Amino acid sequence: PREAALRHYENGVFLQRYSEDDAAAEAAFRSALLALPTFTPALARLSRLSRVQGRNDEIKARYVAEIQQLEKVLEQDLAPEDRHRTIAGLVRRYYRLAGALSRDGQGGEAIELHKRALALDPDAHPSLVALERLFRESGDWSQLVALLLGWSLRTSAGTGATVEPLLQAADVSRTFLNDPDAAGQLLARVLNITPNHAYGLERARE
């Protein structure tokens, strides 16, 4: 099956690249998936075609199909390199599907997908950034603080990347959660890392 899938896939790539015949290329990629449903290169090409053509519902359905296939692959006994590659592919697709859902006003579903991405890869920066934005937009301040604290823990100790999430978490705790004690504790952590941090000192004096 894999050889047949690869043959159809390579035919589709050729049609895209040299004939600019997207319809024929799409048919070839679909034939690849009929031969081997878990053949992710063909899934990725079909998703790209859907994005280019603006077929939003099809884009989301394609991402769902890709995710389901990759989740099945991840259940198998994989070599470390294959497992790493499969996780990276899943994380990218969780992020892309979440983005498509968010654009359609489905923020709650998008949040859950970003969380699934971070469960597989805690350093998935695009999902971290997207979650921060979604929590701010929805006013879910407690989850935002938790995200920022986790973000600071995943960075190299003593760097600006550690301090910035702590400062943001302190501001959110003070301004939106009305919790000056928590804000003070977070600012103390900032000043423990960088004792002369100007903004941290200013906020601590307030």
Side-chain angles (χ1 to χ4, degrees):
R2 184 172 181 80
E3 290 181 1
L6 184 60
R7 188 165 57 251
H8 289 301
Y9 173 78
E10 290 176 342
N11 182 42
V13 172
F14 178 86
L15 290 166
Q16 271 191 313
R17 188 170 296 167
Y18 299 106
S19 300
E20 297 184 358
D21 189 343
D22 285 346
E26 182 173 347
F29 296 140
R30 292 187 186 279
S31 295
L33 290 177
L34 285 174
L36 184 63
T38 58
F39 193 69
T40 54
L43 284 166
R45 289 275 178 170
L46 284 171
S47 292
R48 196 172 300 124
L49 281 170
S50 296
R51 289 199 303 274
V52 169
Q53 296 167 6
R55 299 181 302 205
N56 293 329
D57 289 340
E58 186 172 328
I59 290 170
K60 289 188 286 188
R62 184 65 55 196
Y63 284 147
V64 169
E66 291 181 28
I67 286 168
Q68 290 173 342
Q69 295 297 341
L70 286 171
E71 286 175 339
K72 288 179 183 177
V73 171
L74 196 59
E75 292 172 357
Q76 301 171 14
D77 186 17
L78 301 173
E81 286 187 8
D82 292 335
R83 182 174 181 81
H84 177 78
R85 185 166 52 250
T86 302
I87 287 175
L90 256 179
V91 167
R92 284 195 300 273
R93 285 161 177 82
Y94 285 145
Y95 173 77
R96 291 171 182 169
L97 178 56
L101 291 169
S102 183
R103 287 190 293 273
D104 284 348
Q106 297 173 271
E109 291 87 341
I111 285 171
E112 292 307 312
L113 283 166
H114 287 309
K115 287 181 177 179
R116 287 165 70 179
L118 291 169
L120 288 175
D121 179 7
D123 296 317
H125 191 261
S127 281
L128 283 167
V129 173
L131 261 184
E132 180 187 4
R133 177 181 55 79
L134 286 167
F135 286 151
R136 288 185 185 278
E137 289 177 353
S138 64
D140 196 337
W141 306 116
S142 295
Q143 287 216 62
L144 177 57
V145 168
L147 177 72
L148 292 167
L149 292 179
W151 195 335
S152 72
L153 291 173
R154 284 190 288 271
T155 60
S156 299
T159 67
T162 304
V163 167
E164 182 58 30
L166 290 174
L167 286 171
Q168 291 188 42
D171 283 344
V172 171
S173 296
R174 183 190 300 272
T175 305
F176 297 106
L177 294 177
N178 194 27
D179 191 345
D181 291 338
Q185 292 171 9
L186 291 167
L187 288 171
R189 288 172 61 180
V190 169
L191 295 174
N192 187 52
I193 296 168
T194 53
N196 297 318
H197 194 285
Y199 183 74
L201 288 168
E202 177 186 344
R203 298 296 286 172
R205 285 193 294 266
E206 292 179 356

